[in-house]
Amino acid sequence: MSEEMMEEGGVVKKFMYVNRKAPIGSIYALESLEVVLIGAAFEQDVCMVFLDDGIYQIVKGMDTNDVEMKNFSPTYRALEMYDVERLYVSKEAMEERGLTTDDLVVDVEVMDASQIADLMEEQDVILSF
Amino acid sequence: MSEEMMEEGGVVKKFMYVNRKAPIGSIYALESLEVVLIGAAFEQDVCMVFLDDGIYQIVKGMDTNDVEMKNFSPTYRALEMYDVERLYVSKEAMEERGLTTDDLVVDVEVMDASQIADLMEEQDVILSF
Amino acid sequence: MLHTVNKSPFERNTLETCLQHAKDGSTILLIEDGVYAATEGTRFSDTIKKAMETKTVCALLPDLKARGMHEKVIEGIKLVDYAGFVDLVEQNERVQAWL
Amino acid sequence: MLHTVNKSPFERNTLETCLQHAKDGSTILLIEDGVYAATEGTRFSDTIKKAMETKTVCALLPDLKARGMHEKVIEGIKLVDYAGFVDLVEQNERVQAWL
Amino acid sequence: MKLGIQINEGPYQHQASDTAYLFTKAALEKGHEIFRVFFYHDGVNNGTRLTTPPQDDRNIVARWSELAEKYNLDLVICVAAAQRRGIVDPDEKKRHGKDADNIAPGFRISGLGQLIEAGIQCDRLVVFGD
Amino acid sequence: MKLGIQINEGPYQHQASDTAYLFTKAALEKGHEIFRVFFYHDGVNNGTRLTTPPQDDRNIVARWSELAEKYNLDLVICVAAAQRRGIVDPDEKKRHGKDADNIAPGFRISGLGQLIEAGIQCDRLVVFGD
């Protein structure tokens, strides 16, 4: 994306959102998603990474009726419309939880820790949740 | 303490305070101590247990000047005056942190997990922090 | 005695400490993020299966459903709703919340 | 790149995940309850010593003192105050906070 | 059975208050007595009437107030924890010279002794937190 | 260097706000520019003027206000997070028909775009949380 380094009206920076926490049990997943959606309007070069329990944020089949919470799971599928298309999940995190990409609501790229480490080093801004 | 089961004006119950969290990084240790001090006025049969990072609450040499917080460490030494005399620490927690009873500001009894489990089963009320 | 565990076993040491201190015959109820420990095929599945040999392991179904985990539950774990949670509290003389 | 870790390694998996994702040559700053990882004689001391072979490990001295841990620090860990923390942020082009 | 409930976390950030609410409601519907709900640590933040959560989500504070009214619940906010975090009733407002209060209907502010008393009086004390 | 600060936890419960404050103060004393301090999640609870902490302890809210005044800091509270948790300024009070506000001096309520803008404008963004 280096050809787009200068956008009309401003800089384009590489933003990475790092999600490491399970959804529902705490609000970090939901409020992190709200940042990503608002951030999309700024037309930066955005990616999301799901590590550790963060990958539970995007598993299929969430039904929050009985805990009486809003189900924000479908919103992840809307990310594409916001041009947030690069979603990465940790290979190690998937494996120790017995999950495969078939369990997830969105298309993701699986990366191992060293690939994610490389990607992290390329960023301008890292937002952690 | 079973001979004291009925005190003037009310029941005496066995209360256990379970402390599992490190001090300073969060307020649970300090506010747990506040419960114990207030609770002392009720003349119940009280003990405190320090498990996991909870044992860091009672290590010697805490100096909070540079983090600009109140140092509540000396208060643990006052527990005796409040008749809170039974303090237990987890043997396993001490060992994996390389701590000995010489590192602690108060006299404690070291117990292994099965002894603590037995003690827990004898309680009427368990307050967790 | 009833023990509740509300943390993911991947994130915290809560489940491990609970199991260390829960006596044979006691009941463990997995709630909130603790229910991830109730699922099949994870690094902790064998830990739970071993615990089930000497203890009763339950999980809160509303929390499993909220997380999309209700179809991955380890066989033999007893699923309860909030009313069942209340019953467990009633049936056990004391409750320790491993927070 | 600077990585900050603010959790006790005994309580959470934060340090472990940080070490998995911190490249050789990067700097790790232990703050808040993360400083327990900087102490000698614990279950994690060897983990930190191994990390120090390829990375720079620092710890926030005010947090060590607040916890009574300043005399137990592993040799070779660089101690900084808040001004030193600011310098580390300045010296590294990006910061990842492992919360 | 006579139940005491302790809540250690505020609304939304952690699930503790949600779980405590659904547990309390289920206990009441089964005919159990809730002696007291004690809000401690950040749990005191459940007692502010100034929240305006999104309309498509649950209103954690309001439903505690409603449950209190329906079942005449005793919702107690710890005074020491509340002072640190800014939960104020008319008395506290006057005492500390504040220009506003924010306590929600059905909640009251009192001391830690109320928690100990719940431990003594209740058949079970159940703690919800992080 | 130009710094952005994000704070994800409220006062007292977690050390995040303390660390962020001492870091921010140190940066200012070294002559760095603080572009913005953004309060998110429970971090919004740092912005209530209704706290009365014990006199022998630090006053977390007041010292943020004082630092803001001394260095003309931009302390921004996220509006969406604030609505969930009950942090209200006069505008929000009017908008949601509340009978009180509780925002502390030196803080303002605004949108999440302010956080993104800080990320774009600053040389470094440093996050403090739990």
Side-chain angles (χ1 to χ4, degrees):
Chain A
M1 310 260 167
S2 53
E3 69 276 12
E4 296 176 38
M5 271 305 283
M6 292 302 292
E7 280 259 321
E8 197 179 29
V11 189
V12 173
K13 280 192 172 182
K14 289 177 188 285
F15 272 69
M16 176 187 275
Y17 297 96
V18 179
N19 296 284
R20 291 185 54 243
K21 295 186 180 166
I24 314 294
S26 61
I27 204 170
Y28 305 103
L30 166 59
E31 290 190 334
S32 160
L33 193 54
E34 290 181 350
V35 178
V36 176
L37 295 177
I38 296 286
F42 289 77
E43 299 188 347
Q44 303 291 303
D45 180 11
V46 169
C47 70
M48 294 177 80
V49 181
F50 298 88
L51 305 178
D52 293 330
D53 283 346
I55 62 173
Y56 283 133
Q57 296 178 16
I58 49 174
V59 297
K60 283 180 186 163
M62 289 168 63
D63 170 1
T64 55
N65 274 330
D66 293 348
V67 295
E68 299 187 11
M69 289 185 191
K70 178 181 165 180
N71 188 355
F72 59 97
S73 179
T75 312
Y76 291 102
R77 285 204 296 267
L79 284 169
E80 217 176 343
M81 295 182 331
Y82 288 82
D83 292 324
V84 178
E85 288 167 339
R86 293 190 298 125
L87 310 184
Y88 305 104
V89 299
S90 156
K91 181 169 170 286
E92 293 83 355
M94 295 287 279
E95 283 172 0
E96 63 174 5
R97 287 163 187 76
L99 296 173
T100 70
T101 51
D102 289 342
D103 293 306
L104 306 180
V105 290
V106 281
D107 287 337
V108 297
E109 187 174 333
V110 181
M111 280 190 172
D112 67 22
S114 81
Q115 289 173 300
I116 290 170
D118 286 341
L119 191 67
M120 214 169 243
E121 294 271 1
E122 291 169 14
Q123 304 305 311
D124 295 307
V125 184
I126 308 176
L127 285 152
S128 316
F129 294 94
Chain B
M1 308 261 167
S2 53
E3 68 276 12
E4 297 175 38
M5 270 307 282
M6 290 304 292
E7 280 258 322
E8 199 178 29
V11 189
V12 173
K13 281 193 171 181
K14 289 176 187 287
F15 272 68
M16 176 187 273
Y17 297 95
V18 179
N19 296 283
R20 290 185 56 243
K21 294 185 179 166
I24 315 294
S26 60
I27 203 170
Y28 304 103
L30 166 58
E31 289 190 333
S32 159
L33 193 54
E34 290 181 350
V35 178
V36 176
L37 296 177
I38 296 285
F42 289 78
E43 300 187 346
Q44 303 292 303
D45 181 12
V46 169
C47 71
M48 294 178 78
V49 180
F50 298 88
L51 306 178
D52 292 331
D53 284 345
I55 63 173
Y56 284 132
Q57 296 179 14
I58 49 174
V59 298
K60 283 179 185 163
M62 289 168 62
D63 170 2
T64 55
N65 274 330
D66 293 350
V67 294
E68 299 187 9
M69 288 186 191
K70 177 181 165 181
N71 188 354
F72 59 98
S73 179
T75 312
Y76 290 101
R77 285 203 297 265
L79 284 170
E80 219 176 343
M81 295 184 329
Y82 289 82
D83 293 322
V84 179
E85 288 168 339
R86 294 190 297 126
L87 309 184
Y88 305 105
V89 300
S90 156
K91 180 171 171 284
E92 292 83 355
M94 295 288 278
E95 283 172 1
E96 64 174 4
R97 286 162 187 77
L99 296 174
T100 69
T101 51
D102 289 343
D103 293 306
L104 306 180
V105 290
V106 280
D107 288 336
V108 297
E109 188 174 334
V110 181
M111 280 190 172
D112 66 23
S114 79
Q115 290 173 299
I116 290 170
D118 286 341
L119 192 67
M120 214 168 243
E121 294 273 0
E122 292 169 14
Q123 304 304 312
D124 296 307
V125 184
I126 307 176
L127 286 152
S128 318
F129 294 94
Chain C
M1 177 161 174
L2 178 65
H3 300 266
T4 64
V5 174
N6 73 335
K7 296 302 183 317
S8 160
F10 298 99
E11 187 197 31
R12 306 217 204 178
N13 66 340
T14 315
L15 176 69
E16 194 187 326
T17 302
C18 169
L19 292 177
Q20 232 176 28
H21 293 91
K23 290 169 74 86
D24 289 358
S26 62
T27 300
I28 295 165
L29 173 62
L30 304 168
I31 66 170
E32 301 179 355
D33 290 344
V35 300
Y36 290 116
T39 59
E40 192 58 89
T42 84
R43 183 157 67 86
F44 291 95
S45 303
D46 286 345
T47 305
I48 287 291
K49 286 177 191 171
K50 185 144 178 290
M52 289 165 69
E53 293 171 10
T54 54
K55 300 163 186 80
T56 304
V57 177
C58 308
L60 198 60
L61 183 57
D63 277 326
L64 282 160
K65 286 168 69 181
R67 290 160 180 79
M69 291 289 137
H70 47 297
E71 285 173 6
K72 292 179 186 289
V73 179
I74 292 167
E75 207 184 309
I77 289 183
K78 196 182 150 196
L79 302 182
V80 297
D81 58 9
Y82 291 99
F85 185 175
V86 173
D87 292 341
L88 286 172
V89 169
E90 189 175 20
Q91 288 153 17
N92 290 275
E93 275 188 57
R94 60 195 67 77
V95 188
Q96 154 66 354
W98 295 94
L99 301 175
Chain D
M1 175 157 174
L2 178 65
H3 300 266
T4 65
V5 174
N6 73 335
K7 295 303 184 314
S8 160
F10 298 98
E11 188 197 30
R12 306 217 205 179
N13 67 341
T14 315
L15 176 69
E16 194 188 326
T17 302
C18 168
L19 293 176
Q20 231 177 31
H21 293 91
K23 289 170 75 84
D24 289 358
S26 62
T27 300
I28 294 164
L29 173 62
L30 304 169
I31 66 170
E32 301 178 356
D33 290 343
V35 299
Y36 290 116
T39 60
E40 191 59 88
T42 84
R43 183 157 67 87
F44 291 96
S45 303
D46 286 345
T47 305
I48 288 292
K49 287 175 189 171
K50 184 144 178 290
M52 290 166 69
E53 292 171 10
T54 54
K55 301 163 185 79
T56 304
V57 177
C58 308
L60 198 60
L61 183 56
D63 277 324
L64 282 160
K65 286 168 69 182
R67 289 162 180 79
M69 291 289 136
H70 47 297
E71 286 174 3
K72 293 180 185 286
V73 180
I74 292 167
E75 207 184 310
I77 290 183
K78 197 182 150 196
L79 302 181
V80 298
D81 58 9
Y82 290 100
F85 185 175
V86 173
D87 292 341
L88 285 173
V89 169
E90 189 175 20
Q91 288 154 18
N92 289 275
E93 275 187 58
R94 60 195 67 79
V95 188
Q96 153 66 356
W98 295 94
L99 300 175
Chain E
M1 118 188 103
K2 196 189 282 191
L3 278 166
I5 307 287
Q6 179 184 336
I7 301 176
N8 295 341
E9 297 293 333
Y12 303 102
Q13 186 97 339
H14 297 280
Q15 203 186 343
S17 177
D18 288 282
T19 307
Y21 170 81
L22 293 166
F23 176 88
T24 301
K25 191 158 72 103
L28 289 164
E29 286 166 359
K30 278 179 153 295
H32 295 293
E33 178 189 347
I34 302 293
F35 176 77
R36 179 168 294 149
V37 182
F38 192 84
F39 296 86
Y40 198 40
H41 303 306
D42 267 5
V44 301
N45 291 325
N46 286 286
T48 169
R49 68 174 182 274
L50 299 183
T51 63
T52 311
Q55 296 198 334
D56 57 354
D57 203 354
R58 80 273 190 213
N59 188 325
I60 293 182
V61 175
R63 70 183 185 182
W64 274 118
S65 293
E66 288 155 17
L67 201 69
E69 193 181 2
K70 181 170 176 188
Y71 290 98
N72 197 22
L73 290 184
D74 190 20
L75 306 183
V76 178
I77 292 172
C78 170
V79 62
Q83 286 170 358
R84 285 195 181 94
R85 292 161 180 91
I87 303 299
V88 176
D89 66 7
D91 280 353
E92 285 283 294
K93 174 184 168 187
K94 192 183 289 177
R95 184 145 75 107
H96 300 293
K98 298 292 177 187
D99 61 354
D101 68 76
N102 59 354
I103 196 166
F107 290 82
R108 67 185 179 95
I109 293 180
S110 187
L112 275 170
Q114 302 273 313
L115 172 61
I116 307 295
E117 194 197 10
I120 295 170
Q121 297 292 331
C122 292
D123 300 312
R124 306 279 186 281
L125 182 70
V126 190
V127 186
F128 297 91
D130 176 54
Chain F
M1 111 188 108
K2 194 189 285 192
L3 280 165
I5 308 288
Q6 180 185 334
I7 301 176
N8 295 340
E9 297 293 332
Y12 301 103
Q13 186 98 339
H14 297 281
Q15 203 186 345
S17 177
D18 289 281
T19 307
Y21 170 81
L22 294 165
F23 176 90
T24 301
K25 192 159 73 104
L28 289 164
E29 286 165 359
K30 278 179 153 292
H32 295 294
E33 178 190 347
I34 302 293
F35 176 77
R36 179 167 295 149
V37 183
F38 191 84
F39 295 86
Y40 198 40
H41 303 306
D42 266 5
V44 300
N45 290 326
N46 286 285
T48 169
R49 68 173 182 275
L50 299 184
T51 62
T52 312
Q55 296 199 334
D56 58 353
D57 202 356
R58 78 274 189 212
N59 189 325
I60 293 182
V61 175
R63 69 184 186 182
W64 274 118
S65 292
E66 288 155 18
L67 201 70
E69 192 180 5
K70 181 169 177 189
Y71 289 98
N72 198 22
L73 290 185
D74 189 20
L75 306 183
V76 178
I77 291 172
C78 170
V79 62
Q83 286 170 358
R84 285 195 181 94
R85 292 162 180 90
I87 303 298
V88 175
D89 66 6
D91 280 354
E92 285 283 293
K93 175 185 168 185
K94 192 184 290 176
R95 184 146 73 106
H96 299 293
K98 298 291 177 186
D99 61 354
D101 69 75
N102 59 353
I103 195 167
F107 289 82
R108 67 185 178 95
I109 293 180
S110 187
L112 275 170
Q114 302 274 313
L115 172 62
I116 308 294
E117 193 197 12
I120 295 170
Q121 296 292 330
C122 293
D123 300 311
R124 306 280 186 280
L125 182 70
V126 189
V127 186
F128 297 91
D130 176 55

